[in-house]
Amino acid sequence: QVQLVESGGGLVQAGGSLRLSCAASGLTFSSYAMGWFRQAPGKEREFVAHISWSGGNTYYANSVRGRFTISRDNAKNTGYLQMNSLKPEDTAVYYCAAEATRSVVADTQWDEYDYWGQGTQVTVSS
């Protein structure tokens, strides 16, 4: 049974930082690319960041490039999203996702991914 479990969300002031984690089990983590998506109330789920299976390739949405950093530790079966200089518009539920691919091309569409976590709330106050 595959599980992705996000943690690290919370309430932070604008300009602050948070680090999200995504712990994976039940799959060969190093065979999966990872993505982070987010969904704000009343909005569609949107792509945030992608990292290839090896961690050698990353890609970001324009809205977070330069502020967010995606990473992974395959030995720990865990992915991360470091979020700095947070803005109120970053407020959303953040989801990690895994895609069974060794391609380094970033998939930005949520339906390309095979497994999803339950999400973690990030709230940025102004």
Side-chain angles (χ1 to χ4, degrees):
Q1 177 186 357
V2 175
Q3 278 194 311
L4 300 178
V5 180
E6 301 96 336
S7 61
L11 174 64
V12 64
Q13 288 190 331
S17 298
L18 284 174
R19 188 196 197 201
L20 305 184
S21 298
C22 175
S25 60
L27 75 170
T28 304
F29 187 62
S30 59
S31 294
Y32 285 75
M34 255 197 60
W36 285 93
F37 289 74
R38 66 187 182 187
Q39 188 165 20
K43 295 188 176 181
E44 293 188 353
R45 190 170 300 192
E46 66 171 353
F47 169 79
V48 174
H50 175 276
I51 188 166
S52 61
W53 64 274
S54 67
N57 296 85
T58 58
Y59 182 75
Y60 299 91
N62 289 338
S63 58
V64 307
R65 187 174 291 118
R67 298 188 298 122
F68 291 11
T69 302
I70 188 172
S71 62
R72 65 189 296 160
D73 185 339
N74 286 346
K76 295 183 177 179
N77 288 351
T78 302
Y80 305 97
L81 185 69
Q82 177 67 43
M83 305 186 296
N84 298 331
S85 301
L86 282 161
K87 305 175 181 179
E89 51 263 43
D90 294 318
T91 295
V93 177
Y94 283 71
Y95 299 89
C96 68
E99 181 188 9
T101 180
R102 289 266 177 137
S103 169
V104 299
V105 176
D107 277 319
T108 62
Q109 301 301 311
W110 66 268
D111 56 2
E112 295 290 333
Y113 290 77
D114 301 295
Y115 300 106
W116 288 86
Q118 82 290 346
T120 186
Q121 177 70 47
V122 171
T123 303
V124 184
S125 63
S126 55

